[in-house]
Amino acid sequence: MNEFSWIFLAALFLMTVTELWLSIRQGKHVQAHRDKVPKAFEDQISLSAHQKAADYTVAKGQFGRKENIYGVIILLVWTFGGGLALLSNAWDGLGLSPMLGGVLFLLSFIVIGSLLDLPFSYYRTFVLEDKFGFNRNTPVLFFSDFVKQLLLTVVMGALLIWVALWMMQSTGEFWWLYLWAAWIGFGLFMMWAYPAFIAPLFNKFTPLDDADLQQRVENLLARCGFKSQGIFVMDGSRRSGHGNAYFTGLGSNKRIVFFDTLLNTLNEDQIEAVLAHELGHFRRKHVVKNMVVMAVISLIGLALLGWASAQTWFYDGLGVSQQSNAMALALFMLVIPVFMFFLHPLMTSLSRKYEYEADAYAASVSSADDLIAALVALYKENASTLTPDPLVSAVYDSHPPAAMRIAHLQTNSA
């Protein structure tokens, strides 16, 4: 072990302890407020619904802590436990070319990781979600989705890994800059292709057939200057009772998607208000701003990888003696989330700012009162806690706490 080993282990320890402490803190805070509905919601949320949300939040926290500890163990097994070295030696023993061996090494690393996560995903769906009445999935559909996702990962991953390894090998000292450009290009392509070619592999998307609602939506789109390929309803109820709405796509493939569960929960006024909020993200250029932020972060990350991959201490410090481009990528995928954790509060703070801006836009083109009613209905339907711990919310939540968000909307509607 070297100095970098201790830096990494210290960061991992600090991240893990912080996550576990925040999770326990959240559970205690939610439990302490379980028996009384917050005053702002007394007329809309029943005590039983509030308690269900509290119990759901606590159960997710308990499960998340086990998942965190499991993830740390797997990370240590891959690195200091010799897992990556063992996998690399297995492929090297076949006498393959460095390029083919590297592609297969990384693909097998990703596939094994997916398989190791599978038991937790199954438990989350068929035990945790089922306990609180949200699961609509079946084992057949669950494993069908898993196989499809794995096949897509292998097919697209093989191409991306080959491009990455080729650039690392062939484009000189600044390979990381070329790889960054390729990564950005792939991301833009996926934004365009996902709604039309990938999402339909998992869900059925049908055009909105409610004439009155469609007319209201089209009028709103016209007022907001937004053009889309269409308005679609997704059969989210096949898998879950949670509801949502979102924009997806890029250029000519932009589309609006409503979960069927959302349409069954909200009335037309509320649906229009929710859509106005989503349009607020478009009008305030939040998608573009997020893309720029992620592009900068990925550029810095790849530049760091370009430097670290040439250093012996990077490999030795993570328990690996083999130095190769493929090994550098595998180690980077394992290590970067640990250090990125400490940027999380900044990213979620920016996201909450965007949510406030989108709410304000919705209030200006639709109705703040309807959006408030829609949010309350969705908090209830999705069993979202109304009383998160403030510190936990500041670290993790991409959306403002319910009480603060509604107070902000009421100020806009006043």
Side-chain angles (χ1 to χ4, degrees), residues 158-215:
L159 175 61
L160 285 172
I161 292 168
W162 185 88
V163 169
L165 292 178
W166 179 82
M167 287 184 171
M168 294 174 79
Q169 177 180 296
S170 307
T171 57
E173 180 182 357
F174 294 101
W175 61 263
W176 51 269
L177 190 58
Y178 297 104
L179 181 55
W180 175 78
W183 178 250
I184 296 299
F186 176 77
L188 292 173
F189 170 76
M190 287 302 296
M191 287 183 66
W192 174 84
Y194 180 82
F197 304 107
I198 296 177
L201 296 174
F202 298 92
N203 288 96
K204 184 179 180 181
F205 296 83
T206 56
L208 181 65
D209 61 1
D210 184 323
D212 292 337
L213 179 57
Q214 181 164 351
Q215 187 60 55

Side-chain angles (χ1 to χ4, degrees), residues 366-389:
S366 183
S367 164
D369 289 337
D370 287 333
L371 182 54
I372 290 170
L375 291 172
V376 171
L378 290 173
Y379 289 139
K380 178 180 179 181
E381 187 70 18
N382 293 324
S384 301
T385 181
L386 302 174
T387 57
D389 179 88

Side-chain angles (χ1 to χ4, degrees), residues 29-67:
H29 189 275
V30 170
Q31 283 281 46
H33 294 82
R34 181 182 184 275
D35 295 327
K36 183 173 175 57
V37 179
K39 189 173 181 59
F41 301 94
E42 283 178 338
D43 296 334
Q44 301 107 321
I45 302 289
S46 67
L47 179 60
S48 61
H50 175 65
Q51 290 177 330
K52 175 184 176 181
D55 294 342
Y56 182 48
T57 301
V58 170
K60 286 192 298 181
Q62 291 170 342
F63 177 70
R65 292 195 289 275
K66 295 173 184 174
E67 201 169 17

Side-chain angles (χ1 to χ4, degrees), residues 110-111 114-115 145-155:
I110 293 169
V111 169
S114 297
L115 292 171
D145 285 345
F146 177 76
V147 171
K148 289 178 186 176
Q149 290 166 358
L150 204 58
L151 289 174
L152 282 170
T153 298
V154 169
V155 171

Side-chain angles (χ1 to χ4, degrees), residues 224-246:
C224 298
F226 184 89
K227 295 182 180 179
S228 75
Q229 188 191 52
I231 306 159
F232 295 86
V233 179
M234 190 186 88
D235 60 340
S237 59
R238 288 181 66 203
R239 294 173 176 81
S240 173
H242 294 295
N244 203 354
Y246 64 93

